[in-house]
Amino acid sequence: MKKMMIKTISLSNAKRTFMSTMLWLVVSCVGLLFAPKALLSQLALAEIVAQYNYLIGLGLIVGSAYFLSQLVSFVADESIQHLRQKRTVETVEAKVKLLDPAERALLREFFLQGATILALPKNELAVKSLLHTNILEELGNERHYAIQGPTAEYKISMSARIYLNRDVLRLPAGEPTQEELTYLLKARPHFISGLVQPRKHAA
């Protein structure tokens, strides 16, 4: 892990150094090509510029092409990110409309326990489905148990939170009646009672 971090930092520093070099190349070439001849003569650069004019022009083209490629790459990355986010939102919207009882009961646990993070079994079908449709996010902290299998910590994704209201999760609007409370307890996922929730936070 430490080696990977060092490698990432070194690569970042190398990119930054290369970008600074290219920037100075462009600035220098622009200055030499478009500076007044009188100024170049005073700096004793007029003959050098005249002799290597084509090389200076080539340096300007190379530097400009580099920054143009960086701009195109940035625009492409932003476009891809926007499309990915849009697709995620569309997936969440579609899934929220088609939640089955097991998935709805699982999501209710975050509200019933007043938790933003729950430890859930990774192999549970409802967990896999909600994770695949971007409603849940896996945070890691995976643990393995002989009886119930692997678990990990999950939270409701930011993209899904705005869609998961009391109506969608079929939670009572106010203080639940005894009948509503009985229903909620019976509808809880079968695996919840066997799990130890490591961390709880106010919702």
Side-chain angles (χ1 to χ4, degrees), residues 77-95:
D77 288 344
E78 288 296 311
S79 299
I80 292 171
Q81 183 66 26
H82 175 73
L83 291 174
R84 187 176 294 144
Q85 182 64 28
K86 183 179 179 181
R87 188 174 300 172
T88 297
V89 171
E90 290 173 350
T91 302
V92 169
E93 287 179 340
K95 183 59 180 177

Side-chain angles (χ1 to χ4, degrees), residues 6-199:
I6 293 174
K7 188 176 181 180
T8 302
I9 293 172
S10 300
L11 183 61
S12 177
N13 289 337
K15 287 183 177 179
R16 193 178 296 111
T17 301
F18 184 73
M19 183 174 288
S20 298
T21 302
M22 296 304 289
L23 179 60
W24 277 110
L25 175 64
V26 170
V27 171
S28 300
C29 290
V30 169
L32 291 172
L33 287 175
F34 298 102
K37 291 184 179 181
L39 178 60
L40 292 176
S41 298
Q42 289 181 356
L43 297 174
L45 294 174
E47 291 185 5
I48 296 176
V49 171
Q51 185 176 357
Y52 298 102
N53 191 48
Y54 67 97
L55 286 179
I56 297 172
L58 181 61
L60 179 58
I61 292 173
V62 170
S64 300
Y66 169 77
F67 284 106
L68 181 60
S69 69
Q70 292 297 302
L71 178 61
V72 171
S73 177
F74 173 78
V75 172
D77 288 344
E78 288 296 311
S79 299
I80 292 171
Q81 183 66 26
H82 175 73
L83 291 174
R84 187 176 294 144
Q85 182 64 28
K86 183 179 179 181
R87 188 174 300 172
T88 297
V89 171
E90 290 173 350
T91 302
V92 169
E93 287 179 340
K95 183 59 180 177
V96 166
K97 295 176 183 177
L98 300 173
L99 289 173
D100 65 29
E103 293 165 347
R104 188 175 280 107
L106 191 155
L107 292 170
R108 270 200 302 264
E109 282 301 312
F110 288 92
F111 293 83
L112 294 175
Q113 296 191 36
T116 55
I117 299 172
L118 291 180
L120 302 171
K122 296 190 66 173
N123 295 331
E124 188 67 28
L125 186 60
V127 175
K128 288 182 177 180
S129 176
L130 293 172
L131 182 65
H132 179 69
T133 51
N134 303 306
I135 291 180
L136 288 182
E137 289 182 9
E138 184 176 340
L139 302 178
N141 198 18
E142 186 173 330
R143 298 181 181 183
H144 294 266
Y145 300 93
I147 299 176
Q148 65 188 22
T151 67
E153 292 186 4
Y154 295 85
K155 71 173 184 177
I156 296 175
S157 69
M158 293 300 295
S159 300
R161 289 186 184 185
I162 59 175
Y163 299 101
L164 298 177
N165 52 43
R166 289 182 177 271
D167 290 335
V168 170
L169 299 179
R170 297 178 186 173
L171 287 165
E175 190 70 23
T177 63
Q178 187 60 43
E179 184 179 349
E180 289 171 333
L181 188 58
T182 301
Y183 165 76
L184 291 174
L185 290 175
K186 285 184 178 180
R188 295 183 78 185
H190 63 87
F191 52 80
I192 288 296
S193 59
L195 293 175
V196 178
Q197 303 302 341
R199 293 185 288 174

